[in-house]
Amino acid sequence: MRRLLIALFTFTLLATACGGGDDTEPAATADTTVPADEPDTSTADEPADEPADEPAAVVHHVPEDFATIQEAVDAASPGEMVLIGEGIYNESVVVETENLVIRGVDRNTVILDGQHSEEMANGIIVFANGVAVENLTVRNYSSNGLFFTGDYDSDFVLHGYRASYITAHNNRKYGIYAFNAEYGVIERSYASGQTDSGYYVGQCQPCNAVLHNNISEANTLGYSGTNAGGELYIVNNEFRNNRAGIVPNTLDSEELAPQRTAVFAGNWVHGTGNPDTPASDNALWELMYGIGIVLPGANDNLVARNVIEDNASAGIAISWLPDENTWIAERNQVIGNIFRGNPTDAILVVLDGTDPLGNCFSDNELSSSIPANIQTVAPCDGEAAVITDFAPITFVTPPGEDARLDYTLVAAPGDQPNMPDALTAAPMPANVLPAFDGFDLDAIELPAGA
Amino acid sequence: MTTRVAFIALICSLFAGCAADDPVGVFAGQRAAETDTVVVETDELEIDLEALASDEPPDTVVIPDDALDLTGFDAVDIDIQDNAFVQRVVVISEGTSVTWTNQGRNEHNVRPAISEAFDPIATEELASKGSQATRTFSAAGDYPYFCSIHGTANRGQTGQIIVVP
């Protein structure tokens, strides 16, 4: 019952954010206003009431009020919205104003296009707290589609960000990228054709972030999370036909190593090991080709209730990682997943080959593992044994460099679902933060599409 | 014309335990949402408005406290991580060669924040881990720079080279 109420609460918030109306009509009036949302103070069991006499939020229309998105963003004040009309915008937008909402009237026809130009590295780069970007497409950028970032070596860690109903495709590096940023939501988005990852969360601890109901397809990595963890939830997403699927990892090239304490639950990970994907110049990722979930040098993660199937090399692999330092993988829990159709369902590679180092497997439906009988050798609810089985591991070989697909040639996706009521929904900046108290694993359901 | 400007940083939304939205519907608890607004006043800064307006470097360069003194060397190195210049502010002597090395796994570049202050380093020169590029600074002055992928002239991945006689 409580789960139902929480779901209802969530729906109420989204409905309040999205309002009602017809999103098929073009924006025709400049300087219009829509009701402004206020931070919701209700509890889970008490859906929010409509605020009375709320002030109207200022909306800046592109191209009616401003010819470019950048001009509109620069003119907007905190709490206001930039509403972008249909069109292709060859811009690289920089956002330095807090608590803005940047929204397209139609996700599929409001397109920021970088034309693969070196002069347009990012579709939208956000340096300010509380910015939400909604309902548009970012494509063909020479680095990243949508990028939320703090300043690396100052005291500024970005607090509050949200990407909703974003399509990010054929960007050279990352589709949607959060770096040195906390308190974030990436949701209901689609990413394909990136040479690194569709979604990337890097250098945050705790991240206080959730990625949910996203699709990642035909990227080098479906998800990458270097040195990112702590209240970080990757739940209810679909990762399909990437070179490698979900890859939280530890690297020396960013601060806050090692990666630790993230949750990967309710995801559908399938078709990994797709040769028709762009490959990264980073040879490290090629080692993971064909593996659904990889935890290289990762620690204290929970992998639960995922469906992991039809991956070319393996379902899941936990391994140490050599970088400038050698990063071991410890205390990861793999519980209640369904593995099927993988050459090997689960692989555990520990540094000295004998001690599971607290990595454990329980209640999974799996038929093969290295070491054999992995749920007996390294159970989550019992004492681990010494690993004596050193069976060789065989992975599918990725295509050679000559056969790698240019990221610009990955097929563009079809139309993706629009944000409801994009024309009339009240702007809701990302200063209302996601709550992460008491993660309820029992509330995670196996992926519906699997 | 030099004007003293009180630099006031308005830090909105310092989130003291504030949270409201359970975006997935799997979290048992909900904390009350609250947003604090805090005004922080920092030290006053000297800003040369004429120099800013003319896009020329100011006559007087203030060396930050965190600057790394590398004067007296013919060549110095700056490492690049993801996404930062590790030796962010360095002071060097005239004629010193500076070599940037990409130690990260992302692509980077080096662009002067003051246009044409020095030859920019293109992304393809610093595209992969271990790649290097060098520039020599012959004239005294202030050379702020940035990576255009992960920053702007004054935000994100920025650096500064101060050349002294």
Side-chain angles (χ1 to χ4, degrees), chain B residues 89-100:
Chain B
V89 185
V90 299
V91 183
I92 61 174
S93 303
E94 283 179 333
T96 300
S97 293
V98 177
T99 297
W100 285 267

Side-chain angles (χ1 to χ4, degrees), chain A residues 52-69:
Chain A
D53 300 326
E54 59 189 13
V58 174
V59 179
H60 303 275
H61 293 273
V62 179
E64 291 88 345
D65 302 339
F66 298 94
T68 68
I69 301 167

Side-chain angles (χ1 to χ4, degrees), chain A residues 10 98 122 152-153 433 435 440, chain B residues 12 20-22 26 84 88 149 156:
Chain A
T10 303
E98 295 183 337
N122 303 292
Y152 178 93
D153 47 5
L433 303 174
D440 183 4
Chain B
C12 294
D21 186 4
D22 172 5
V26 297
R88 197 178 71 80
I149 299 171

Side-chain angles (χ1 to χ4, degrees), chain B residues 102-155:
Chain B
N102 187 352
Q103 304 285 13
R105 294 185 181 273
N106 286 338
E107 300 170 334
H108 298 283
N109 60 42
V110 175
R111 296 195 176 187
I114 299 170
S115 59
E116 300 182 2
F118 62 91
D119 287 339
I121 300 171
T123 303
E124 62 184 18
E125 295 183 73
L126 292 169
S128 58
K129 186 177 175 69
S131 56
Q132 295 183 319
T134 300
R135 296 291 183 270
T136 299
F137 293 83
S138 302
D142 185 17
Y143 299 88
Y145 66 92
F146 64 103
C147 169
S148 69
I149 299 171
H150 306 106
T152 66
N154 55 9
R155 294 300 301 268

